Amino acid sequence: MTIIGNILLSIAAVVYMLLLSGAYGPKPSNAGDAAGGYAMSVILFSLAFGVFMTLAAFVIAGKGGFAWVAAGGSARFVLVAGGLLSILIISALSTVFRFEPASQLPFALRYLTGFAPALFPLALLAAGFVLLNEPLRTAMPVAVYKIPLSILFGISTLACLGLLIQWIGYQNQQVAERIEEIHQHEEQNHTRHLQDIENADPETGILGLLSLTGRYHNADVREKAVAKIKSNPRWQQELVRILESGHYYRVYTFLDAEAVEDKALFAAPLNRSISRMAGEISAFIQTNNHLNDWHFDYLSVERMLSSVDQFQNTEEDFLPAVRAVRAAFDASPQAHVKKPKFKEPAILDRWIKAHS
């Protein structure tokens, strides 16, 4: 086992020399592929160095080379594994960022990149050879390797904690900035919606206002949009006209949140629009070359059903048309098209069951 351990440490030493030549050789270009090439090479060689050192550590443990660690059993394993891992991490990161300006480095690495790429791996290798080979280990006082390893372990652990704290702070800052960005975007949309309402012509621009009348819009936006629509004396007739057109589904947004005065005027056109929806869904499934589960979101099936609920006390029977919409989702696509699981059938099934 000692021979295998020495072979592993020797290979690790060769990898270390390659890392050393890169870290303390000519400064790599900071442009193009060369910049990324240096970092990638360091990462790969550092991983190789870490693998060989870890395997050597298992051999050392088997030979009793870590008996000097005060803890015993699993606690000793945790200390040795944590110490080795933290030293390897800081050594690799220090090498990766060796040529970066200090101002761009994490604070925990700022003062380590100058010496850690050379000193930390060298100390691990030297300690590894001493701890693995019993004659060397017994000939030296424990303090010779215990003190340097303890110092490296302490520095590396503190640096790792510093990096973690700084990373958490950075993530919190990113979240705060994203929240602020979303807030600003919402404010801009809110202002734009109010401006669109202000500029809309109730005689000719009702179609563009319908999307702003939904129950999920800000109350002031929805109220102003509804008021602008109703400022047209023939607003109900205009909504019926749209229900009879290809934009019928746009009216569902309005009907979902707002009651109409003349329900008899709307009932039949609403029923006919649902029948057209069934045909539109069936034709789309049968003829389209690609289907997604969100393809029919624009039809607002939930809002359509909510709209129908407003007219349940009229003479119009909506159940056949709603059943036709449900049946449309069972249409078979072309042979080469995979049919997704649409969410609308479950919604329609619940409504049909409740109203049958």
Side-chain angles (χ1 to χ4, degrees):
M1 290 295 291
T2 301
I3 295 175
I4 295 175
N6 281 314
I7 292 173
L8 292 170
L9 289 173
S10 298
I11 298 173
V14 173
V15 176
Y16 163 67
M17 295 302 295
L18 294 173
L19 285 168
L20 198 65
S21 65
Y24 294 93
K27 181 179 179 179
S29 172
N30 58 0
D33 294 337
Y38 170 77
M40 184 58 66
S41 298
V42 168
I43 291 171
L44 293 176
F45 282 116
S46 294
L47 285 173
F49 180 81
V51 169
F52 289 118
M53 287 303 304
T54 301
L55 294 174
F58 278 109
V59 178
I60 293 170
K63 300 290 291 182
F66 295 119
W68 55 275
V69 179
S74 58
R76 176 181 295 170
F77 173 81
V78 171
L79 280 174
V80 172
L84 177 61
L85 182 62
S86 62
I87 294 171
L88 289 172
I89 289 174
I90 296 304
S91 174
L93 291 177
S94 298
T95 308
V96 169
F97 296 112
R98 172 80 174 84
F99 298 99
E100 294 295 323
S103 60
Q104 297 183 19
L105 290 175
F107 182 79
L109 292 177
R110 193 165 298 173
Y111 302 103
L112 297 178
T113 56
F115 63 89
L119 182 59
F120 283 26
L122 180 61
L124 287 179
L125 286 168
F129 278 112
V130 171
L131 296 175
L132 177 64
N133 296 281
E134 190 173 353
L136 286 175
R137 188 170 71 242
T138 56
M140 291 185 179
V142 174
V144 171
Y145 47 83
K146 180 177 180 179
I147 293 175
L149 288 177
S150 298
I151 293 173
L152 289 186
F153 173 64
I155 294 174
S156 299
T157 301
L158 288 175
C160 286
L161 288 174
L163 288 172
L164 179 61
I165 292 171
Q166 190 168 356
W167 179 80
I168 292 173
Y170 174 76
Q171 292 299 312
N172 289 338
Q173 181 183 352
Q174 290 291 99
V175 170
E177 290 177 355
R178 179 57 181 158
I179 291 174
E180 178 61 24
E181 181 182 339
I182 292 173
H183 178 70
Q184 291 179 358
H185 181 69
E186 290 176 346
E187 285 295 322
Q188 292 171 356
N189 280 340
H190 182 258
T191 301
R192 178 170 54 81
H193 289 155
L194 292 176
Q195 190 64 47
D196 289 343
I197 295 169
E198 182 68 25
N199 296 334
D201 183 348
E203 299 292 332
T204 60
I206 284 183
L207 181 63
L209 292 173
L210 289 175
S211 63
L212 302 178
T213 63
R215 65 174 70 238
Y216 300 112
H217 270 293
N218 290 334
D220 60 335
V221 170
R222 194 182 73 81
E223 290 168 3
K224 289 180 181 297
V226 170
K228 178 57 74 85
I229 289 173
K230 290 185 176 182
S231 67
N232 181 341
R234 293 181 54 77
W235 66 272
Q236 291 188 107
Q237 288 78 7
E238 181 63 15
L239 290 183
V240 168
R241 184 191 67 78
I242 297 172
L243 267 178
E244 300 280 19
S245 74
H247 297 287
Y248 59 91
Y249 51 87
R250 304 277 288 274
V251 182
Y252 301 154
T253 301
F254 182 94
L255 295 178
D256 170 55
E258 191 72 18
V260 295
E261 298 168 4
D262 189 353
K263 291 187 177 182
L265 179 66
F266 281 84
L270 176 60
N271 207 356
R272 288 193 292 271
S273 76
I274 298 170
S275 296
R276 287 200 305 279
M277 177 190 287
E280 189 171 326
I281 292 171
S282 178
F284 189 92
I285 292 175
Q286 292 173 356
T287 61
N288 204 271
N289 289 318
H290 182 71
L291 296 173
N292 285 307
D293 57 359
W294 45 261
H295 260 140
F296 300 109
D297 286 357
Y298 75 98
L299 291 176
S300 304
V301 167
E302 287 184 276
R303 288 176 173 173
M304 177 270 287
L305 294 175
S306 176
S307 301
V308 168
D309 289 338
Q310 185 182 158
F311 298 89
Q312 285 300 303
N313 296 325
T314 62
E315 296 180 357
E316 200 73 20
D317 183 8
F318 293 93
L319 190 57
V322 174
R323 281 177 171 158
V325 172
R326 174 60 184 88
F329 281 98
D330 293 330
S332 299
Q334 299 177 66
H336 66 280
V337 177
K338 182 179 179 181
K339 188 177 182 179
K341 184 178 180 180
F342 298 110
K343 59 181 177 294
E344 287 86 359
I347 299 170
L348 290 161
D349 285 338
R350 287 195 296 269
W351 190 93
I352 292 170
K353 183 178 179 180
H355 292 81
S356 296

